[in-house]
Amino acid sequence: MLNLILFGPPGAGKGTQAQRIIEKYGLIQLSTGDMLRSQIAQKTELGLKAQEIMAKGELVSDEIVVGMIKSIVHGDKSAKGYIFDGFPRTVKQAEALDNLLSEINEEISQLILLEVNDQELIARLLNRGKDSGRADDQDVSIIENRIKVFKEQTTPVMEHYKAKNKAVSVKGVGSLDEISELLYAVLDKL
Ligand code: AMP
């Protein structure tokens, strides 16, 4: 299996590039943000719990997101591989993911960081907020908090995989095609 973590701050282009990668490589995309928004739309108990935290740009508990990922990774035996988008966001989540994958004799093949500067991230998210309907994309102070949370709580995940020689970064600024080509070059070597 090819198990990829598409890593980067909010607005780095993880979701967009994940879509292209799943088409080309036949992987299954697992976006914890999308899963949480679907729980909110269905007004489930989990969704109600997550909603307030997400609106502030803070992180939902590790237990909640790990539980969501676990049910999919264990439930799908025919997958060619997974592309994790927006997960793991803490070292605890990364450790839980490593354990989940080892239970099915798998491991993370590669983490790829999409590098984008803060000004570009803020501009992209505000622009996306015009039609995404996401409240967390429409307020600069919330966007800034999400970037801060990424730097403080999520960047250690990169160190976790660097220590295993599994982390690389690519330039996340340029045309969508240029960025995809950089990602494909990494994936084709795996
Ligand atoms: P995203 O769509 O990945 O930008 O996620 C939107 C929001 O969902 C984040 O700001 C968090 O509040 C929450 N969220 C998504 N994924 C995770 C995760 N792996 N751990 C904790 N919170 C998450």
Side-chain angles (χ1 to χ4, degrees):
M1 278 169 93
L2 180 62
N3 299 308
L4 184 71
I5 298 173
L6 205 46
F7 194 71
K14 303 183 294 291
T16 308
Q17 292 296 338
Q19 279 302 320
R20 294 173 157 222
I21 293 171
I22 54 177
E23 275 168 36
K24 189 167 155 70
Y25 297 89
L27 307 181
I28 293 177
Q29 180 189 6
L30 294 182
S31 157
T32 42
D34 285 349
M35 291 178 199
L36 289 165
R37 280 184 289 277
S38 147
Q39 294 287 326
I40 292 174
Q42 294 170 55
K43 298 193 165 58
T44 63
E45 199 181 320
L46 191 158
L48 293 174
K49 251 194 222 166
Q51 191 164 26
E52 238 178 88
I53 302 167
M54 289 168 72
K56 287 189 273 188
E58 300 290 334
L59 294 185
V60 172
S61 79
D62 292 333
E63 289 69 27
I64 287 184
V65 289
V66 169
M68 293 192 312
I69 291 286
K70 188 175 188 171
S71 58
I72 298 184
V73 168
H74 277 182
D76 192 332
K77 305 271 182 263
S78 62
K80 274 196 201 164
Y82 297 103
I83 173 161
F84 297 96
D85 155 13
F87 177 90
R89 262 173 153 103
T90 63
V91 171
K92 269 203 166 167
Q93 292 179 20
E95 288 167 351
L97 176 61
D98 294 344
N99 289 336
L100 279 181
L101 290 174
S102 78
E103 285 166 17
I104 55 165
N105 294 319
E106 286 294 332
E107 59 182 9
I108 287 299
S109 318
Q110 187 79 64
L111 172 150
I112 311 180
L113 165 72
L114 284 168
E115 270 182 307
V116 180
N117 66 63
D118 290 2
Q119 279 79 358
E120 171 81 13
L121 294 174
I122 295 169
R124 284 186 189 177
L125 289 172
L126 285 173
N127 197 39
R128 181 171 81 182
K130 287 180 195 158
D131 10 69
S132 72
R134 281 180 58 173
D136 62 345
D137 282 347
Q138 292 173 11
D139 180 319
V140 177
S141 62
I142 303 224
I143 291 174
E144 283 171 345
N145 190 42
R146 289 163 65 199
I147 296 172
K148 178 168 166 267
V149 166
F150 175 81
K151 288 180 181 164
E152 291 176 0
Q153 299 184 50
T154 306
T155 50
V157 170
M158 177 110 186
E159 301 307 317
H160 174 86
Y161 289 103
K162 239 188 213 163
K164 299 173 189 276
N165 262 328
K166 294 271 172 68
V168 293
S169 37
V170 303
K171 191 168 154 237
V173 183
S175 74
L176 287 182
D177 286 345
E178 279 164 2
I179 299 165
S180 299
E181 288 306 325
L182 294 173
L183 292 170
Y184 300 159
V186 174
L187 293 180
D188 287 340
K189 278 196 226 137
L190 296 175

